[in-house]
Amino acid sequence: MLLSQDAAARVERVDSDYLRVRVGALARVPGNPFGATVRPVGQGWAFLVEALPNPLFNHVMGLTAACVDSLPELAAWYAGHGKPLRVDVVPAQAAPGLFAALAAEGLTQTGFYAGLYAEASRVVTGGPADPSVHIGLLDPAEFAGVYATGFGFPDRHRAAMAESVRVLAGRSDVRFYGARIGTVVAGVGLLFLADGVGYLATAATLPEYRGRGVQGALVRHRAAAAREAGCDLIVGHTATGSASQRTMERNGLRLAYTKALWSGAG
């Protein structure tokens, strides 16, 4: 499948859609104890979760050169919550005016992130390479616990991180999967379904079970489930050059684009 502008837009849009669902659900917890907010910015979105320092929950997506006048107010908004302004820039949005405005606001490029994609019929499917690994649906609360442990979140942030996935329980567009080795859930992976896209989101493996093919098995299982649900595109996002990117590529996904991460001081 050759990458088209439409396919690239779908790769980024599903990430934004998923985050709007996830942070939005967290904001609807009674009393909003984690300080979660989703706000529109032109055709894009600004996300904030006061209880979490993770950039995943505190950044702007979809900002274009047409909306750079909003940058000072956005910077003040994030600063008021003790967080720097962070902006993701995908190649389709890149423009001299946008980069100049980000630099004028004091932001610098601090990293890269990879968007990956594949036609659903071309993603590798099948059982785990290790026959001791068994994939199946998982209770959201158990999923959340393995997720928080697998990522090694500090104790003070574990409750918020776990709740950020538990709040998705019961949604028809979200499926929670676990990889069991014996009686232990060794790893987890979430599947988000949106507009014909199967999004491989929110995955983690317990440290002692890494190197057993857990995430590869979860990628294949979720891709097969997405295809059965009628999706024509499989998408994932991951740190550039990471083990997660290599796992996705080994199972048929390929790079759609690398987006630039810009951040202010803080």
Side-chain angles (χ1 to χ4, degrees):
M1 180 181 181
L2 296 177
L3 183 66
S4 64
Q5 288 186 341
D6 176 67
R10 292 174 74 193
V11 171
E12 185 67 4
R13 187 166 59 245
V14 72
D15 189 26
S16 175
D17 288 346
Y18 172 62
L19 201 54
R20 283 195 293 120
V21 166
R22 188 172 173 185
V23 177
L26 197 60
R28 290 189 293 275
V29 173
N32 194 9
F34 304 110
T37 306
V38 179
R39 56 177 284 187
V41 181
Q43 299 300 308
W45 301 92
F47 303 97
L48 183 142
V49 180
E50 289 186 80
L52 294 170
N54 194 317
L56 169 68
F57 298 101
N58 299 283
H59 72 293
V60 180
M61 299 181 70
L63 186 74
T64 65
C67 298
V68 295
D69 289 348
S70 63
L71 282 170
E73 191 277 329
L74 283 169
W77 181 59
Y78 279 105
H81 295 280
K83 300 183 185 298
L85 172 62
R86 300 181 177 102
V87 179
D88 291 4
V89 181
V90 298
Q93 297 160 353
L98 175 57
F99 291 132
L102 292 172
E105 194 58 44
L107 277 69
T108 56
Q109 188 177 338
T110 55
F112 296 94
Y113 216 66
L116 297 101
Y117 78 110
E119 188 175 354
S121 62
R122 294 182 179 272
V123 179
V124 175
T125 57
D130 184 337
S132 68
V133 178
H134 301 279
I135 311 296
L137 291 168
L138 193 64
D139 175 78
E142 190 171 12
F143 181 106
V146 175
Y147 166 64
T149 301
F151 264 105
F153 297 119
D155 289 344
R156 65 184 181 280
H157 300 312
R158 282 178 61 89
M161 291 303 299
E163 187 65 13
S164 76
V165 290
R166 273 199 302 266
V167 291
L168 300 175
R171 293 187 59 96
S172 61
D173 54 1
V174 173
R175 299 182 186 178
F176 299 89
Y177 291 100
R180 293 186 184 274
I181 297 179
T183 60
V184 177
V185 179
V188 294
L190 186 147
L191 174 64
F192 176 65
L193 305 169
D195 299 323
V197 179
Y199 187 38
L200 309 179
T202 311
T205 302
L206 297 179
E208 60 269 33
Y209 291 99
R210 290 171 187 164
R212 300 276 297 269
V214 167
Q215 284 304 321
L218 283 163
V219 166
R220 293 190 294 275
H221 191 95
R222 287 179 290 166
R227 190 166 61 188
E228 290 173 5
C231 295
D232 67 294
L233 192 68
I234 306 298
V235 169
H237 284 86
T238 181
T240 302
S242 65
S244 294
Q245 179 174 348
R246 293 191 293 274
T247 295
M248 290 186 186
E249 290 181 342
R250 279 195 296 267
N251 288 282
L253 281 79
R254 63 178 179 175
L255 186 68
Y257 55 74
T258 301
K259 62 182 174 182
L261 310 180
W262 286 66
S263 181

